[in-house]
PDB file of all heavy atoms in Angstrom:
ATOM      1  N   ASP A1479      15.703  -0.560 -60.041  1.00  0.00           N
ATOM      2  CA  ASP A1479      15.112  -1.818 -60.532  1.00  0.00           C
ATOM      3  C   ASP A1479      16.213  -2.848 -60.829  1.00  0.00           C
ATOM      4  O   ASP A1479      16.046  -4.036 -60.565  1.00  0.00           O
ATOM      5  CB  ASP A1479      14.235  -1.571 -61.763  1.00  0.00           C
ATOM      6  CG  ASP A1479      14.923  -0.773 -62.847  1.00  0.00           C
ATOM      7  OD1 ASP A1479      15.961  -0.115 -62.568  1.00  0.00           O
ATOM      8  OD2 ASP A1479      14.461  -0.793 -63.990  1.00  0.00           O
ATOM      9  N   LEU A1480      17.344  -2.411 -61.397  1.00  0.00           N
ATOM     10  CA  LEU A1480      18.430  -3.332 -61.712  1.00  0.00           C
ATOM     11  C   LEU A1480      18.953  -4.019 -60.454  1.00  0.00           C
ATOM     12  O   LEU A1480      19.254  -5.231 -60.455  1.00  0.00           O
ATOM     13  CB  LEU A1480      19.582  -2.586 -62.392  1.00  0.00           C
ATOM     14  CG  LEU A1480      19.260  -1.928 -63.744  1.00  0.00           C
ATOM     15  CD1 LEU A1480      20.496  -1.202 -64.266  1.00  0.00           C
ATOM     16  CD2 LEU A1480      18.773  -2.960 -64.751  1.00  0.00           C
ATOM     17  N   LEU A1481      19.021  -3.267 -59.373  1.00  0.00           N
ATOM     18  CA  LEU A1481      19.455  -3.848 -58.102  1.00  0.00           C
ATOM     19  C   LEU A1481      18.434  -4.843 -57.591  1.00  0.00           C
ATOM     20  O   LEU A1481      18.796  -5.909 -57.059  1.00  0.00           O
ATOM     21  CB  LEU A1481      19.686  -2.713 -57.096  1.00  0.00           C
ATOM     22  CG  LEU A1481      20.398  -3.061 -55.799  1.00  0.00           C
ATOM     23  CD1 LEU A1481      21.738  -3.722 -56.060  1.00  0.00           C
ATOM     24  CD2 LEU A1481      20.602  -1.774 -54.979  1.00  0.00           C
ATOM     25  N   THR A1482      17.165  -4.542 -57.759  1.00  0.00           N
ATOM     26  CA  THR A1482      16.093  -5.441 -57.327  1.00  0.00           C
ATOM     27  C   THR A1482      16.163  -6.752 -58.094  1.00  0.00           C
ATOM     28  O   THR A1482      16.060  -7.831 -57.507  1.00  0.00           O
ATOM     29  CB  THR A1482      14.726  -4.768 -57.530  1.00  0.00           C
ATOM     30  OG1 THR A1482      14.698  -3.535 -56.830  1.00  0.00           O
ATOM     31  CG2 THR A1482      13.605  -5.662 -57.019  1.00  0.00           C
ATOM     32  N   TRP A1483      16.318  -6.670 -59.424  1.00  0.00           N
ATOM     33  CA  TRP A1483      16.355  -7.897 -60.218  1.00  0.00           C
ATOM     34  C   TRP A1483      17.555  -8.758 -59.842  1.00  0.00           C
ATOM     35  O   TRP A1483      17.465  -9.983 -59.802  1.00  0.00           O
ATOM     36  CB  TRP A1483      16.390  -7.584 -61.707  1.00  0.00           C
ATOM     37  CG  TRP A1483      15.467  -6.540 -62.234  1.00  0.00           C
ATOM     38  CD1 TRP A1483      15.686  -5.694 -63.278  1.00  0.00           C
ATOM     39  CD2 TRP A1483      14.130  -6.237 -61.807  1.00  0.00           C
ATOM     40  NE1 TRP A1483      14.624  -4.872 -63.492  1.00  0.00           N
ATOM     41  CE2 TRP A1483      13.639  -5.190 -62.603  1.00  0.00           C
ATOM     42  CE3 TRP A1483      13.305  -6.736 -60.789  1.00  0.00           C
ATOM     43  CZ2 TRP A1483      12.374  -4.617 -62.439  1.00  0.00           C
ATOM     44  CZ3 TRP A1483      12.039  -6.170 -60.612  1.00  0.00           C
ATOM     45  CH2 TRP A1483      11.584  -5.141 -61.429  1.00  0.00           C
ATOM     46  N   ALA A1484      18.680  -8.110 -59.601  1.00  0.00           N
ATOM     47  CA  ALA A1484      19.878  -8.865 -59.212  1.00  0.00           C
ATOM     48  C   ALA A1484      19.671  -9.637 -57.914  1.00  0.00           C
ATOM     49  O   ALA A1484      20.046 -10.808 -57.793  1.00  0.00           O
ATOM     50  CB  ALA A1484      21.067  -7.929 -59.106  1.00  0.00           C
ATOM     51  N   LYS A1485      19.068  -8.948 -56.940  1.00  0.00           N
ATOM     52  CA  LYS A1485      18.807  -9.614 -55.641  1.00  0.00           C
ATOM     53  C   LYS A1485      17.839 -10.773 -55.822  1.00  0.00           C
ATOM     54  O   LYS A1485      18.012 -11.842 -55.213  1.00  0.00           O
ATOM     55  CB  LYS A1485      18.228  -8.593 -54.652  1.00  0.00           C
ATOM     56  CG  LYS A1485      19.221  -7.569 -54.181  1.00  0.00           C
ATOM     57  CD  LYS A1485      18.551  -6.588 -53.223  1.00  0.00           C
ATOM     58  CE  LYS A1485      19.520  -5.543 -52.712  1.00  0.00           C
ATOM     59  NZ  LYS A1485      18.863  -4.561 -51.799  1.00  0.00           N
ATOM     60  N   LEU A1486      16.826 -10.588 -56.670  1.00  0.00           N
ATOM     61  CA  LEU A1486      15.876 -11.667 -56.922  1.00  0.00           C
ATOM     62  C   LEU A1486      16.536 -12.842 -57.631  1.00  0.00           C
ATOM     63  O   LEU A1486      16.268 -13.995 -57.341  1.00  0.00           O
ATOM     64  CB  LEU A1486      14.699 -11.140 -57.756  1.00  0.00           C
ATOM     65  CG  LEU A1486      13.702 -10.240 -57.044  1.00  0.00           C
ATOM     66  CD1 LEU A1486      12.775  -9.568 -58.048  1.00  0.00           C
ATOM     67  CD2 LEU A1486      12.865 -11.035 -56.020  1.00  0.00           C
ATOM     68  N   ALA A1487      17.426 -12.519 -58.584  1.00  0.00           N
ATOM     69  CA  ALA A1487      18.082 -13.563 -59.380  1.00  0.00           C
ATOM     70  C   ALA A1487      18.955 -14.467 -58.516  1.00  0.00           C
ATOM     71  O   ALA A1487      19.099 -15.654 -58.793  1.00  0.00           O
ATOM     72  CB  ALA A1487      18.908 -12.938 -60.499  1.00  0.00           C
ATOM     73  N   ILE A1488      19.540 -13.910 -57.474  1.00  0.00           N
ATOM     74  CA  ILE A1488      20.407 -14.703 -56.593  1.00  0.00           C
ATOM     75  C   ILE A1488      19.584 -15.720 -55.803  1.00  0.00           C
ATOM     76  O   ILE A1488      20.036 -16.839 -55.577  1.00  0.00           O
ATOM     77  CB  ILE A1488      21.171 -13.770 -55.638  1.00  0.00           C
ATOM     78  CG1 ILE A1488      22.217 -12.965 -56.417  1.00  0.00           C
ATOM     79  CG2 ILE A1488      21.837 -14.543 -54.508  1.00  0.00           C
ATOM     80  CD1 ILE A1488      22.867 -11.869 -55.606  1.00  0.00           C
ATOM     81  N   LYS A1489      18.373 -15.341 -55.420  1.00  0.00           N
ATOM     82  CA  LYS A1489      17.583 -16.172 -54.514  1.00  0.00           C
ATOM     83  C   LYS A1489      16.467 -16.963 -55.176  1.00  0.00           C
ATOM     84  O   LYS A1489      15.869 -17.851 -54.525  1.00  0.00           O
ATOM     85  CB  LYS A1489      16.956 -15.293 -53.424  1.00  0.00           C
ATOM     86  CG  LYS A1489      17.960 -14.664 -52.457  1.00  0.00           C
ATOM     87  CD  LYS A1489      17.258 -13.774 -51.454  1.00  0.00           C
ATOM     88  CE  LYS A1489      18.216 -13.260 -50.386  1.00  0.00           C
ATOM     89  NZ  LYS A1489      18.605 -14.330 -49.444  1.00  0.00           N
ATOM     90  N   ASN A1490      16.152 -16.685 -56.444  1.00  0.00           N
ATOM     91  CA  ASN A1490      14.935 -17.255 -57.039  1.00  0.00           C
ATOM     92  C   ASN A1490      15.175 -17.785 -58.454  1.00  0.00           C
ATOM     93  O   ASN A1490      16.035 -17.293 -59.177  1.00  0.00           O
ATOM     94  CB  ASN A1490      13.838 -16.210 -57.100  1.00  0.00           C
ATOM     95  CG  ASN A1490      13.445 -15.682 -55.754  1.00  0.00           C
ATOM     96  OD1 ASN A1490      12.599 -16.270 -55.069  1.00  0.00           O
ATOM     97  ND2 ASN A1490      14.037 -14.574 -55.329  1.00  0.00           N
ATOM     98  N   GLU A1491      14.364 -18.778 -58.816  1.00  0.00           N
ATOM     99  CA  GLU A1491      14.358 -19.280 -60.192  1.00  0.00           C
ATOM    100  C   GLU A1491      13.523 -18.330 -61.048  1.00  0.00           C
ATOM    101  O   GLU A1491      12.423 -17.932 -60.665  1.00  0.00           O
ATOM    102  CB  GLU A1491      13.733 -20.678 -60.212  1.00  0.00           C
ATOM    103  CG  GLU A1491      13.729 -21.348 -61.546  1.00  0.00           C
ATOM    104  CD  GLU A1491      13.171 -22.760 -61.495  1.00  0.00           C
ATOM    105  OE1 GLU A1491      13.925 -23.688 -61.171  1.00  0.00           O
ATOM    106  OE2 GLU A1491      11.948 -22.904 -61.764  1.00  0.00           O
ATOM    107  N   ILE A1492      14.053 -17.965 -62.219  1.00  0.00           N
ATOM    108  CA  ILE A1492      13.379 -17.034 -63.134  1.00  0.00           C
ATOM    109  C   ILE A1492      12.907 -17.784 -64.367  1.00  0.00           C
ATOM    110  O   ILE A1492      13.695 -18.338 -65.116  1.00  0.00           O
ATOM    111  CB  ILE A1492      14.330 -15.900 -63.575  1.00  0.00           C
ATOM    112  CG1 ILE A1492      14.852 -15.142 -62.352  1.00  0.00           C
ATOM    113  CG2 ILE A1492      13.614 -14.941 -64.524  1.00  0.00           C
ATOM    114  CD1 ILE A1492      15.974 -14.164 -62.680  1.00  0.00           C
ATOM    115  N   ALA A1493      11.585 -17.822 -64.575  1.00  0.00           N
ATOM    116  CA  ALA A1493      11.029 -18.391 -65.807  1.00  0.00           C
ATOM    117  C   ALA A1493      10.880 -17.263 -66.835  1.00  0.00           C
ATOM    118  O   ALA A1493      10.390 -16.188 -66.497  1.00  0.00           O
ATOM    119  CB  ALA A1493       9.686 -19.049 -65.536  1.00  0.00           C
ATOM    120  N   TYR A1494      11.256 -17.544 -68.078  1.00  0.00           N
ATOM    121  CA  TYR A1494      11.337 -16.465 -69.074  1.00  0.00           C
ATOM    122  C   TYR A1494      10.674 -16.869 -70.369  1.00  0.00           C
ATOM    123  O   TYR A1494      10.810 -18.001 -70.832  1.00  0.00           O
ATOM    124  CB  TYR A1494      12.809 -16.126 -69.341  1.00  0.00           C
ATOM    125  CG  TYR A1494      13.015 -14.748 -69.905  1.00  0.00           C
ATOM    126  CD1 TYR A1494      13.083 -13.630 -69.092  1.00  0.00           C
ATOM    127  CD2 TYR A1494      13.182 -14.542 -71.273  1.00  0.00           C
ATOM    128  CE1 TYR A1494      13.281 -12.352 -69.593  1.00  0.00           C
ATOM    129  CE2 TYR A1494      13.394 -13.286 -71.802  1.00  0.00           C
ATOM    130  CZ  TYR A1494      13.430 -12.186 -70.960  1.00  0.00           C
ATOM    131  OH  TYR A1494      13.630 -10.939 -71.463  1.00  0.00           O
ATOM    132  N   ASN A1495       9.963 -15.906 -70.973  1.00  0.00           N
ATOM    133  CA  ASN A1495       9.347 -16.072 -72.280  1.00  0.00           C
ATOM    134  C   ASN A1495      10.020 -15.103 -73.256  1.00  0.00           C
ATOM    135  O   ASN A1495      10.054 -13.901 -73.009  1.00  0.00           O
ATOM    136  CB  ASN A1495       7.840 -15.783 -72.187  1.00  0.00           C
ATOM    137  CG  ASN A1495       7.098 -16.147 -73.457  1.00  0.00           C
ATOM    138  OD1 ASN A1495       7.646 -16.038 -74.569  1.00  0.00           O
ATOM    139  ND2 ASN A1495       5.838 -16.560 -73.324  1.00  0.00           N
ATOM    140  N   LEU A1496      10.577 -15.634 -74.332  1.00  0.00           N
ATOM    141  CA  LEU A1496      11.306 -14.819 -75.281  1.00  0.00           C
ATOM    142  C   LEU A1496      10.432 -13.954 -76.174  1.00  0.00           C
ATOM    143  O   LEU A1496      10.939 -13.109 -76.927  1.00  0.00           O
ATOM    144  CB  LEU A1496      12.192 -15.718 -76.151  1.00  0.00           C
ATOM    145  CG  LEU A1496      13.346 -16.414 -75.434  1.00  0.00           C
ATOM    146  CD1 LEU A1496      14.044 -17.390 -76.381  1.00  0.00           C
ATOM    147  CD2 LEU A1496      14.338 -15.403 -74.874  1.00  0.00           C
ATOM    148  N   LYS A1497       9.100 -14.171 -76.136  1.00  0.00           N
ATOM    149  CA  LYS A1497       8.201 -13.332 -76.919  1.00  0.00           C
ATOM    150  C   LYS A1497       8.164 -11.916 -76.320  1.00  0.00           C
ATOM    151  O   LYS A1497       8.095 -11.766 -75.099  1.00  0.00           O
ATOM    152  CB  LYS A1497       6.777 -13.913 -76.925  1.00  0.00           C
ATOM    153  CG  LYS A1497       6.648 -15.262 -77.571  1.00  0.00           C
ATOM    154  CD  LYS A1497       5.222 -15.776 -77.430  1.00  0.00           C
ATOM    155  CE  LYS A1497       5.069 -17.195 -77.944  1.00  0.00           C
ATOM    156  NZ  LYS A1497       3.685 -17.738 -77.699  1.00  0.00           N
ATOM    157  N   ALA A1498       8.220 -10.920 -77.182  1.00  0.00           N
ATOM    158  CA  ALA A1498       8.150  -9.525 -76.713  1.00  0.00           C
ATOM    159  C   ALA A1498       6.686  -9.171 -76.458  1.00  0.00           C
ATOM    160  O   ALA A1498       5.941  -8.917 -77.389  1.00  0.00           O
ATOM    161  CB  ALA A1498       8.759  -8.587 -77.735  1.00  0.00           C
ATOM    162  N   LEU A1499       6.268  -9.154 -75.192  1.00  0.00           N
ATOM    163  CA  LEU A1499       4.862  -9.015 -74.864  1.00  0.00           C
ATOM    164  C   LEU A1499       4.537  -7.701 -74.125  1.00  0.00           C
ATOM    165  O   LEU A1499       3.416  -7.526 -73.635  1.00  0.00           O
ATOM    166  CB  LEU A1499       4.404 -10.199 -74.012  1.00  0.00           C
ATOM    167  CG  LEU A1499       4.490 -11.561 -74.729  1.00  0.00           C
ATOM    168  CD1 LEU A1499       4.285 -12.699 -73.741  1.00  0.00           C
ATOM    169  CD2 LEU A1499       3.426 -11.623 -75.850  1.00  0.00           C
ATOM    170  N   ALA A1500       5.509  -6.809 -74.043  1.00  0.00           N
ATOM    171  CA  ALA A1500       5.290  -5.499 -73.430  1.00  0.00           C
ATOM    172  C   ALA A1500       6.110  -4.477 -74.208  1.00  0.00           C
ATOM    173  O   ALA A1500       7.031  -4.821 -74.934  1.00  0.00           O
ATOM    174  CB  ALA A1500       5.696  -5.523 -71.955  1.00  0.00           C
ATOM    175  N   VAL A1501       5.737  -3.196 -74.013  1.00  0.00           N
ATOM    176  CA  VAL A1501       6.417  -2.135 -74.746  1.00  0.00           C
ATOM    177  C   VAL A1501       6.912  -1.064 -73.759  1.00  0.00           C
ATOM    178  O   VAL A1501       6.130  -0.516 -72.972  1.00  0.00           O
ATOM    179  CB  VAL A1501       5.457  -1.455 -75.772  1.00  0.00           C
ATOM    180  CG1 VAL A1501       6.209  -0.377 -76.569  1.00  0.00           C
ATOM    181  CG2 VAL A1501       4.895  -2.506 -76.734  1.00  0.00           C
ATOM    182  N   PHE A1502       8.207  -0.822 -73.832  1.00  0.00           N
ATOM    183  CA  PHE A1502       8.860   0.235 -73.040  1.00  0.00           C
ATOM    184  C   PHE A1502       8.752   1.513 -73.841  1.00  0.00           C
ATOM    185  O   PHE A1502       9.484   1.728 -74.806  1.00  0.00           O
ATOM    186  CB  PHE A1502      10.307  -0.170 -72.790  1.00  0.00           C
ATOM    187  CG  PHE A1502      11.126   0.820 -71.982  1.00  0.00           C
ATOM    188  CD1 PHE A1502      10.563   1.960 -71.408  1.00  0.00           C
ATOM    189  CD2 PHE A1502      12.462   0.592 -71.785  1.00  0.00           C
ATOM    190  CE1 PHE A1502      11.307   2.835 -70.669  1.00  0.00           C
ATOM    191  CE2 PHE A1502      13.244   1.481 -71.037  1.00  0.00           C
ATOM    192  CZ  PHE A1502      12.681   2.591 -70.484  1.00  0.00           C
ATOM    193  N   VAL A1503       7.828   2.389 -73.481  1.00  0.00           N
ATOM    194  CA  VAL A1503       7.566   3.639 -74.206  1.00  0.00           C
ATOM    195  C   VAL A1503       8.467   4.733 -73.658  1.00  0.00           C
ATOM    196  O   VAL A1503       8.353   5.112 -72.487  1.00  0.00           O
ATOM    197  CB  VAL A1503       6.096   4.043 -74.131  1.00  0.00           C
ATOM    198  CG1 VAL A1503       5.871   5.349 -74.896  1.00  0.00           C
ATOM    199  CG2 VAL A1503       5.185   2.928 -74.656  1.00  0.00           C
ATOM    200  N   GLN A1504       9.381   5.205 -74.485  1.00  0.00           N
ATOM    201  CA  GLN A1504      10.350   6.219 -74.043  1.00  0.00           C
ATOM    202  C   GLN A1504      10.025   7.581 -74.651  1.00  0.00           C
ATOM    203  O   GLN A1504       9.646   7.670 -75.825  1.00  0.00           O
ATOM    204  CB  GLN A1504      11.758   5.808 -74.481  1.00  0.00           C
ATOM    205  CG  GLN A1504      12.194   4.449 -73.932  1.00  0.00           C
ATOM    206  CD  GLN A1504      13.473   3.993 -74.608  1.00  0.00           C
ATOM    207  OE1 GLN A1504      13.448   3.485 -75.715  1.00  0.00           O
ATOM    208  NE2 GLN A1504      14.587   4.177 -73.901  1.00  0.00           N
ATOM    209  N   ASP A1505      10.186   8.648 -73.851  1.00  0.00           N
ATOM    210  CA  ASP A1505      10.028   9.979 -74.417  1.00  0.00           C
ATOM    211  C   ASP A1505      11.390  10.452 -74.940  1.00  0.00           C
ATOM    212  O   ASP A1505      12.408   9.768 -74.796  1.00  0.00           O
ATOM    213  CB  ASP A1505       9.453  10.963 -73.380  1.00  0.00           C
ATOM    214  CG  ASP A1505      10.308  11.074 -72.138  1.00  0.00           C
ATOM    215  OD1 ASP A1505      11.530  10.874 -72.218  1.00  0.00           O
ATOM    216  OD2 ASP A1505       9.747  11.377 -71.059  1.00  0.00           O
ATOM    217  N   SER A1506      11.421  11.613 -75.544  1.00  0.00           N
ATOM    218  CA  SER A1506      12.659  12.095 -76.186  1.00  0.00           C
ATOM    219  C   SER A1506      13.784  12.290 -75.193  1.00  0.00           C
ATOM    220  O   SER A1506      14.947  12.166 -75.538  1.00  0.00           O
ATOM    221  CB  SER A1506      12.384  13.414 -76.938  1.00  0.00           C
ATOM    222  OG  SER A1506      11.858  14.390 -76.041  1.00  0.00           O
TER     223      SER A1506
END
């Protein structure tokens, strides 16, 4: 995914919302 975001960032404008609107649920 990190590679995907980097490729997208080079070619595209990224609009961003600083509100935390999702939760990354991690297991142990």
Side-chain angles (χ1 to χ4, degrees):
D1479 51 343
L1480 298 179
L1481 192 54
T1482 304
W1483 315 148
K1485 290 179 179 179
L1486 287 168
I1488 290 171
K1489 293 178 174 288
N1490 299 274
E1491 183 178 275
I1492 302 170
Y1494 202 83
N1495 189 327
L1496 293 174
K1497 297 176 186 175
L1499 296 169
V1501 182
F1502 180 5
V1503 180
Q1504 302 169 281
D1505 59 28
S1506 58

